C-alpha cells in the first residue's frame, strides 16, 4: 500500500496551484496577470485546454501506462462527447426536443453526464471484443475505429438530410453553461470548473491505481497469461479501463464543446489522437500525475512554437508542430521513457528480457 | 487443429464473395448494369495493385523485424513528392528526365527508410512492443510534418507516364475505359513482384532475409547479420512504398497527407493475406481494391474511405489472435 496521506497532500498542492494561477489571472486590473508574468505565453485559454486534456490523459495513462494497451483512436471518444453535447444543445429543435427542456440550465449538464455514460458504455461493448487483440493489432484496430468515427462525424452520421454534425464545418453556437441564473463564464469561471473536474479525474486515477483494479491492471500489463492463471478476468478489467478512459475523454469533449462554443470534426481525427499519445508519453504514462504534466508541457511547447518560432522562421507557424511532436515522441521513448514524472518501477518501459517476452505474450 | 482452421483463405474468400454479391445487389438500386460493374472491377484492380505494393512493404518489415511500420504510408507520399521536386519547374517533361527523377526519388526514399531504422528503431530493438509501435507512429508524424513544411498543403500534379502531360491516354474495351496509367500501374506491380521473387529465391541476401524471418536466433547463429537484414528490410519497404506512390501519382494528385490512407489500406490488405505471406498480401490487396470500389459506387460519396477501416475492424475482431497465427509464433523466438 502506498502512503495515501502523501497522495492527498499532492492533490491539495495541485489545487493550490490551480487556485493561485486562476487568482493571478483575476489580478489583471492590478497589472499582475499571467500573460504579463510569462511574457505573453500563458493565457487562461491555455490553462483551460490543459485541464481538458488532463481529463483525457488520466484515462489514457490508465489504459496505456498501467494496463499496457495502446489506443491510437482516443480522440474519437473525445469527439463523440463533444458532438453529443453540441448536437443535442444546438440541434434540439430538429430532433424534436421541446424548447422548454432544451433551454433549461440543467439540460447541458444532463447531456454531459448522459454522454459520458453512453460513450463509456459503447467503449465497454467495443472493448470486450477489441481488447482481445494485442500489440500491433490493437493499435491498428483502435486507429481504424478512430478514423471510422471521424468519417462518420464528417459525413453527418450518414444522414445528410438531417445535417446533425454539420459536415466539415461542424456545429457552432454551442451555449455557455449555467448554474441556475449564474453563467459559468467568463473564462476565469470556466477555468475553475474545468480544473475541478480535472483534479477530480486525477484523484479518481490515483485511487484506482492503488485499488484492486489497479493492481489487476498492472498484473495484466506485466504478464497477461500469468494474471489470468491467478484468476484475474483480464478481458473484463481491460474493457472496464477502456470504458473509463473513453468516458473521461467524452466528458472532456463536452467541456471542450462548451468552452469553444464550436466543434469541427478535424479536431478529433487521426493526428489529434497521436497528439494525445505524445502528451501521455511526455508527461510519463506510468504516473497519473503525468497527465497534467504532459498536457501542460506539450501545450506550452506548441504555444512557444506558435508564437516564437514564427519570428525566427518566417511563414512557418503551426506546420512545424507535427514535426516537433513526432521528434518529441521518438526522442522521449528512446531516451527518457519515464517522461516528466513517470516511474521506471511502473514496469511499462524497462523490463528485463524474460519479463518482456512474457509481456508481449504469444501473439505478436 | 480442425481442417477449416488450416485454410483461413477459404473463409475470407467466401466472405469477400458474399460481400461482393451484397454490394452488387445494392448497386441495382442505382440501376448499374454490367459495364458499370466491369468498370468498377478495372478501377478496383488499379487501386488494388497499389495496395499490393504497400502491403508487401509491411510484410517484408514484419517478417524480418516483427514490427509493423506505421510510417510506411509516409514513404508512399515521399515517392511522388520527391519525383515532382526532382523534375523541377520545367513545363515540358521528357521521358528520360521523368525516369531519372522517379529513380532518384525511389533511391532517396529507400535511403530514408534505412536512416529511419538506424536512428529510430535500432536503438529501441530491446524495448517493449508498445514503445516500438509508438516510435513508428512518431516517425510518421515527423515525415508528414516535414512534407507539409517542404511542399505545403496543396495537391501536386505528376504527368501521366504515357503522354508526359496531365491528360492521359485511354482505350475503350467494350464499354470499359482503361487508362494508360492503369497499364503502367499493373506492369510496375508485376515487375516488382517478379524482382522480389527473384531476390528472395535466388540471391544470398534474399535467402538470408528469409532465414531471419523464420528464426532470428538461428539465423544469427548461422552467421547472418540480423541487424543488417532488418535495415535492408526497411530500405526495401521504403522503396516499394515510393514506387507505389510514384505510379499512382498521375491518378490521385499527391498531397502531404496521402500517406495515412494508402498506408492503412495497404495494412488492411496485408492483414487480409495473413501478414506474413506475400501471395496472401497481393490477393488481399486486389480483393480490397475491387470491393472498396464497388462500395464507393453504391454508397454515399463521403463514405468511400470508410470501407477499408470497417473491414479492418471486423477482420481483426473475427481473428483476435492475429492473422500470422501459428506460423508467426514459430518464426518469432
Amino acid at each position: 500500500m502506498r502512503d495515501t496521506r502523501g497522495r492527498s497532500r499532492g492533490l491539495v498542492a495541485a489545487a493550490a496551484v490551480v487556485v493561485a494561477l486562476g487568482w493571478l489571472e483575476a489580478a489583471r486590473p492590478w497589472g499582475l496577470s499571467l500573460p504579463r508574468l510569462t511574457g505573453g505565453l500563458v493565457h487562461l485559454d491555455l490553462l483551460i485546454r490543459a485541464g481538458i486534456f488532463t481529463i483525457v490523459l488520466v484515462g489514457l495513462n490508465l489504459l496505456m501506462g498501467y494496463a499496457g494497451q495502446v489506443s491510437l483512436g482516443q480522440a474519437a471518444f473525445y469527439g463523440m462527447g463533444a458532438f453529443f453535447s453540441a448536437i443535442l444543445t444546438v440541434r434540439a429543435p430538429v430532433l424534436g426536443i421541446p424548447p422548454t427542456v432544451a433551454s433549461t440550465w440543467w439540460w447541458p449538464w444532463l447531456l454531459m453526464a448522459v454522454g459520458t455514460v453512453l460513450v463509456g458504455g459503447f467503449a465497454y461493448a467495443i472493448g470486450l471484443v477489441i481488447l482481445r487483440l494485442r500489440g500491433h493489432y490493437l493499435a491498428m484496430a483502435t486507429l481504424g475505429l478512430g478514423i471510422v468515427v471521424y468519417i462518420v462525424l464528417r459525413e453527418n452520421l450518414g444522414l445528410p438530410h438531417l445535417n446533425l454534425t454539420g459536415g466539415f464545418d461542424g456545429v457552432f453556437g454551442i451555449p455557455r453553461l449555467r448554474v441556475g441564473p449564474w453563467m459559468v463564464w467568463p473564462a476565469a469561471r470556466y477555468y475553475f470548473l474545468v480544473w475541478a473536474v480535472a483534479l477530480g479525474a486525477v484523484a479518481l486515477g490515483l485511487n484506482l491505481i492503488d485499488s484492486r483494479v489497479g493492481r489487476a491492471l498492472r498484473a495484466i500489463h506485466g504478464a497477461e497469461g500469468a494474471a489470468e492463471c491467478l484468476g484475474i478476468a483480464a478481458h473484463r478489467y481491460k474493457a472496464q479501463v477502456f470504458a473509463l478512459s473513453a468516458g473521461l475523454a467524452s466528458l472532456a469533449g463536452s467541456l471542450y464543446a462548451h468552452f469553444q462554443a464550436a466543434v469541427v470534426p478535424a479536431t478529433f481525427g487521426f493526428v489529434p489522437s497521436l497528439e494525445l499519445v505524445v502528451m501521455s508519453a511526455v508527461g510519463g504514462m506510468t504516473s497519473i500525475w503525468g497527465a497534467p504534466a504532459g498536457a501542460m508541457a506539450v501545450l506550452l511547447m506548441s504555444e512557444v512554437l506558435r508564437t516564437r518560432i514564427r519570428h525566427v522562421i518566417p511563414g512557418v507557424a503551426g506546420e512545424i508542430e507535427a514535426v516537433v511532436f513526432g521528434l518529441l515522441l521518438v526522442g522521449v521513448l528512446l531516451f527518457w521513457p519515464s517522461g516528466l514524472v513517470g516511474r521506471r518501477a511502473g514496469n511499462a518501459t524497462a523490463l528485463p528480457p524474460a519479463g518482456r517476452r512474457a509481456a508481449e505474450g504469444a501473439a505478436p | 487443429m480442425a481442417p477449416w482452421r488450416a485454410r483461413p483463405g477459404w473463409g475470407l474468400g467466401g466472405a469477400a464473395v458474399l460481400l461482393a454479391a451484397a454490394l452488387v445487389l445494392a448497386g441495382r438500386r442505382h440501376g448499374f448494369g454490367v459495364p458499370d460493374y466491369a468498370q468498377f472491377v478495372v478501377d478496383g484492380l488499379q487501386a488494388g495493385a497499389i495496395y499490393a505494393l504497400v502491403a508487401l512493404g509491411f510484410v517484408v518489415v514484419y517478417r524480418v523485424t516483427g514490427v509493423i511500420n506505421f510510417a510506411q504510408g509516409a514513404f508512399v507520399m515521399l515517392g511522388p513528392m520527391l519525383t515532382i521536386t526532382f523534375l523541377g519547374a520545367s513545363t515540358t517533361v521528357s521521358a528520360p528526365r521523368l525516369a531519372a527523377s522517379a529513380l532518384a526519388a525511389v533511391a532517396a526514399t529507400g535511403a530514408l527508410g534505412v536512416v529511419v531504422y538506424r536512428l529510430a528503431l535500432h536503438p529501441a530493438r530491446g524495448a517493449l512492443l508498445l514503445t516500438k509501435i509508438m516510435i513508428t507512429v512518431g516517425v510518421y508524424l515527423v515525415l508528414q510534418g516535414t512534407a507539409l513544411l517542404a511542399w505545403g498543403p496543396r495537391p501536386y500534379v505528376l504527368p501521366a507516364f504515357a503522354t508526359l502531360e496531365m491528360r492521359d491516354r485511354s482505350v475503350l474495351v467494350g464499354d470499359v475505359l482503361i487508362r494508360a496509367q492503369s497499364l503502367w500501374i499493373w506492369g510496375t506491380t508485376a515487375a516488382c513482384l517478379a524482382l522480389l521473387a527473384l531476390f528472395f529465391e535466388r540471391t544470398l541476401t534474399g535467402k538470408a532475409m528469409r532465414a531471419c524471418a523464420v528464426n532470428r536466433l538461428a539465423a544469427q547463429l548461422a552467421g547472418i547479420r540480423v541487424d543488417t537484414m532488418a535495415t535492408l528490410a526497411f530500405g526495401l519497404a521504403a522503396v516499394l512504398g515510393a514506387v507505389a506512390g510514384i505510379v499512382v501519382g498521375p491518378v490521385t494528385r499527391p498531397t502531404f497527407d496521402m500517406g495515412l490512407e494508402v498506408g492503412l489500406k495497404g495494412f488492411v490488405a496485408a492483414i487480409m493475406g495473413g501478414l506474413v505471406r506475400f501471395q496472401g498480401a497481393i490477393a488481399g490487396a486486389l480483393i480490397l481494391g475491387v470491393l472498396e470500389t464497388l462500395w464507393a459506387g453504391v454508397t454515399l460519396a463521403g463514405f468511400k474511405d470508410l470501407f477499408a477501416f470497417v473491414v479492418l475492424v471486423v477482420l481483426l475482431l473475427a481473428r483476435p489472435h492475429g492473422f500470422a497465427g501459428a506460423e508467426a509464433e514459430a518464426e518469432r523466438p
Side-chain angles (χ1 to χ4, degrees):
Chain A
M1 262 300 187
R2 288 232 322 276
D3 180 14
T4 46
R5 223 181 323 153
R7 180 206 302 161
S8 55
R9 222 180 283 152
L11 272 174
V12 169
V17 170
V18 167
V19 172
L21 288 176
W23 186 260
L24 258 180
E25 182 63 24
R28 208 184 267 275
W30 301 289
L32 263 176
S33 69
L34 268 178
R36 174 165 292 202
L37 283 182
T38 56
L41 266 181
V42 179
H43 293 266
L44 212 50
D45 279 12
L46 184 110
L47 292 177
I48 292 175
R49 274 184 287 142
I52 291 173
F53 281 127
T54 298
I55 303 168
V56 187
L57 291 177
V58 167
L60 204 55
N61 282 3
L62 285 171
L63 186 66
M64 298 207 304
Y66 287 90
Q69 313 294 316
V70 207
S71 173
L72 297 183
Q74 203 67 9
F77 299 120
Y78 181 47
M80 284 163 81
F83 269 93
F84 185 79
S85 282
I87 291 171
L88 284 168
T89 49
V90 176
R91 311 249 197 263
V94 182
L95 294 167
I97 296 155
T100 46
V101 173
S103 60
T104 53
W105 67 268
W106 46 264
W107 177 244
W109 299 96
L110 178 73
L111 289 178
M112 213 178 266
V114 171
T116 304
V117 173
L118 278 183
V119 172
F122 170 76
Y124 185 75
I126 295 263
L128 276 180
V129 225
I130 217 176
L131 287 162
R132 287 187 294 164
L133 300 168
R134 293 187 193 160
H136 293 120
Y137 297 97
L138 179 63
M140 276 293 182
T142 50
L143 177 58
L145 190 68
I147 293 180
V148 167
V149 170
Y150 163 71
I151 294 178
V152 169
L153 287 177
R154 197 190 66 192
E155 299 301 326
N156 271 314
L157 316 174
L159 307 164
H161 52 286
L162 272 179
N163 188 27
L164 288 176
T165 68
F168 280 97
D169 302 330
V171 183
F172 34 89
I174 301 159
R176 300 290 179 203
L177 291 169
R178 281 181 294 153
V179 180
W182 298 285
M183 298 287 286
V184 191
W185 201 256
R189 288 189 195 166
Y190 207 73
Y191 159 84
F192 283 107
L193 168 71
V194 164
W195 274 98
V197 179
L199 288 183
V202 168
L204 175 77
L206 288 173
N207 275 307
L208 198 76
I209 54 171
D210 273 346
S211 72
R212 214 177 121 83
V213 182
R215 284 195 295 277
L217 291 181
R218 272 182 278 186
I220 290 167
H221 188 179
E224 190 170 335
E228 274 184 329
C229 287
L230 291 173
I232 295 171
H235 69 284
R236 205 177 309 151
Y237 278 111
K238 287 196 290 182
Q240 279 167 4
V241 74
F242 192 60
L244 178 67
S245 75
L248 285 174
S250 167
L251 180 62
S254 293
L255 286 169
Y256 172 83
H258 289 288
F259 167 57
Q260 289 284 324
V263 287
V264 287
T267 323
F268 311 105
F270 170 65
V271 173
S273 275
L274 298 190
E275 283 177 15
L276 288 171
V277 173
V278 175
M279 286 183 191
S280 176
V282 168
M285 59 179 85
T286 51
S287 161
I288 297 298
W289 288 109
M296 204 54 223
V298 172
L299 281 178
L300 258 180
M301 192 198 67
S302 50
E303 198 68 11
V304 171
L305 288 173
R306 222 191 310 274
T307 55
R308 300 294 141 97
I309 296 287
R310 189 170 42 198
H311 303 301
V312 183
I313 314 171
V316 174
E319 287 90 341
I320 204 167
E321 261 182 59
V323 183
V324 176
F325 279 141
L327 287 174
L328 198 64
L329 184 57
V330 176
V332 164
L333 289 171
L334 285 182
F335 304 114
W336 198 19
S338 55
L340 281 170
V341 295
R343 292 181 194 81
R344 278 188 169 274
N347 84 11
T349 43
L351 280 179
R356 188 195 332 136
R357 202 172 306 148
E360 284 189 21
Chain B
M1 194 181 260
W4 64 83
R5 271 280 189 228
R7 292 201 160 176
W10 287 107
L12 284 177
V17 169
L18 280 179
L19 196 52
L23 289 175
V24 167
L25 276 179
R28 298 190 73 89
R29 209 159 43 97
H30 299 272
F32 289 153
V34 175
D36 297 298
Y37 289 121
Q39 185 70 55
F40 285 145
V41 170
V42 168
D43 292 347
L45 288 177
Q46 182 201 301
I50 296 302
Y51 302 157
L53 285 177
V54 183
L56 288 178
F58 277 112
V59 174
V60 167
V61 166
Y62 183 76
R63 284 189 60 149
V64 179
T65 66
V67 172
I68 288 181
N69 179 18
F70 278 75
Q72 179 72 15
F75 297 139
V76 181
M77 172 270 298
L78 283 171
M81 289 305 209
L82 287 172
T83 307
I84 288 160
T85 306
F86 292 153
L87 264 179
S90 66
T91 44
T92 52
V93 181
S94 64
R97 196 188 162 103
L98 180 62
S101 305
L103 281 179
V106 169
T109 313
L112 188 70
V114 168
V115 170
V116 161
Y117 179 77
R118 294 313 287 194
L119 286 187
L121 280 147
H122 186 255
R125 64 200 177 285
L128 272 177
L129 193 60
L130 182 87
T131 312
K132 288 186 202 162
I133 293 172
M134 291 201 295
I135 285 176
T136 62
V137 168
V139 169
Y140 177 82
L141 271 182
V142 172
L143 292 180
Q144 180 178 304
T146 312
L148 178 59
L149 279 178
W151 290 292
R154 76 183 178 88
Y156 282 78
V157 180
L158 196 60
F161 294 177
T163 57
L164 299 175
E165 284 169 13
M166 265 181 74
R167 276 187 69 87
D168 199 2
R169 216 171 282 145
S170 51
V171 283
L172 268 177
V173 181
D175 287 329
V176 180
L177 188 80
I178 298 178
R179 275 166 295 198
Q181 191 63 31
S182 300
L183 300 177
W184 274 99
I185 290 172
W186 291 324
T188 310
T189 304
C192 284
L193 292 181
L195 284 175
L196 270 184
L198 273 181
F199 173 68
F200 281 110
E201 299 290 333
R202 295 293 159 83
T203 67
L204 203 56
T205 318
K207 285 178 183 167
M209 276 174 86
R210 275 169 60 206
C212 293
V214 173
N215 188 327
R216 236 169 298 168
L217 186 62
Q220 200 161 18
L221 291 175
I224 295 170
R225 290 175 191 273
V226 175
D227 273 350
T228 313
M229 293 305 135
T231 315
L232 259 182
F234 258 82
L236 190 56
V239 163
L240 285 169
V243 169
I246 291 170
V247 290
V248 82
V251 184
T252 58
R253 297 284 170 97
T255 56
F256 79 100
D257 59 354
M258 68 184 276
L260 177 65
E261 191 194 317
V262 186
L264 279 169
K265 286 175 184 169
F267 175 78
V268 177
I271 226 172
M272 279 170 88
L275 203 51
V276 288
R277 284 190 212 93
F278 292 118
Q279 301 93 323
I282 296 158
L286 294 179
I287 293 174
L288 179 70
V290 172
L291 286 181
E292 186 192 48
T293 315
L294 276 176
W295 162 278
V298 300
T299 57
L300 291 173
F303 278 178
K304 180 184 179 296
D305 295 335
L306 207 57
F307 184 74
F309 303 116
V310 173
V311 168
L312 170 71
V313 175
V314 171
L315 266 182
L316 287 173
L317 294 183
R319 314 197 128 250
H321 298 296
F323 285 76
E327 197 176 335
E329 271 169 45
E331 281 168 6
R332 307 194 56 228

